[in-house]
Amino acid sequence: SSPDSDGCPPELEKAGLLNKTKIAEGGRKLRKNWCSSWVVLVGNSLVFYKDPKSQSPSSWKPGSSRPESSVDLRGAQLHWANELSSKKNVFKLRTVTGNEFLLQSETDSLIREWYNTIKNVIDRLDRE
Ligand code: I3S
């Protein structure tokens, strides 16, 4: 994203691999398609990249790879959503525009860290 008013680029808060599926677009339900995604939380956005492991080594260079999509966290809602999947450790992120994503990890501590970090960003934006 673009530099802030202080001229500094937004801080990278977190990055890692999570399982992801989009389940709604603009409020319209989508069929699940789980895949592994490289997720980066930077500034007010959650940015999704293709799992580098699923790409040929030559096609993936750090910094030059283009995001698949990105989510504006302002006004977003975050809820644990284990009832929405047979997988464990699932939470749902819903954007103001009605896009819904499930994010999941087999590692309890990891998914809790992601949940808390995203929640903190959403809460901070709510207070602005
Ligand atoms: O909530 P659903 O519809 O039971 O989700 C499962 C399906 O999307 C399934 O694919 P099919 O479209 O071929 O039925 C996926 O393979 C499963 O992973 C989905 O369920 P989980 O419980 O993994 O979120």
Side-chain angles (χ1 to χ4, degrees):
S1 21
S2 51
D4 219 331
S5 51
D6 58 5
C8 300
E11 231 170 282
L12 182 107
E13 309 215 31
K14 198 168 177 57
L17 275 181
L18 291 176
N19 296 315
K20 180 197 83 168
T21 181
K22 194 172 185 179
I23 58 165
E25 164 89 43
R28 279 191 50 186
K29 215 176 161 232
L30 297 175
R31 186 163 182 176
K32 278 182 187 164
N33 180 22
W34 285 103
C35 52
S36 177
S37 181
W38 181 254
V39 184
V40 179
L41 180 62
V42 60
N44 305 342
S45 299
L46 202 59
V47 186
F48 301 121
Y49 295 83
K50 270 198 180 150
D51 179 354
K53 288 197 295 264
S54 74
Q55 295 177 285
S56 64
S58 57
S59 72
W60 193 80
K61 302 175 192 76
S64 74
S65 119
R66 290 246 239 91
E68 280 194 304
S69 61
S70 103
V71 167
D72 183 1
L73 293 175
R74 193 177 291 275
Q77 296 172 358
L78 192 68
H79 297 288
W80 290 110
N82 287 314
E83 77 284 2
L84 295 182
S85 176
S86 60
K87 302 181 195 304
K88 67 170 191 173
N89 299 336
V90 176
F91 62 74
K92 181 172 88 170
L93 178 67
R94 185 187 195 282
T95 68
V96 276
T97 55
N99 294 342
E100 297 182 3
F101 300 86
L102 299 183
L103 293 168
Q104 189 266 348
S105 167
E106 289 302 311
T107 310
D108 301 15
S109 56
L110 204 144
I111 199 72
R112 247 184 283 115
E113 275 176 29
W114 272 103
Y115 181 93
N116 292 335
T117 310
I118 295 171
K119 189 83 174 75
N120 285 340
V121 173
I122 293 173
D123 289 349
R124 167 172 44 81
L125 291 169
D126 281 347
R127 288 193 303 268
E128 275 181 11

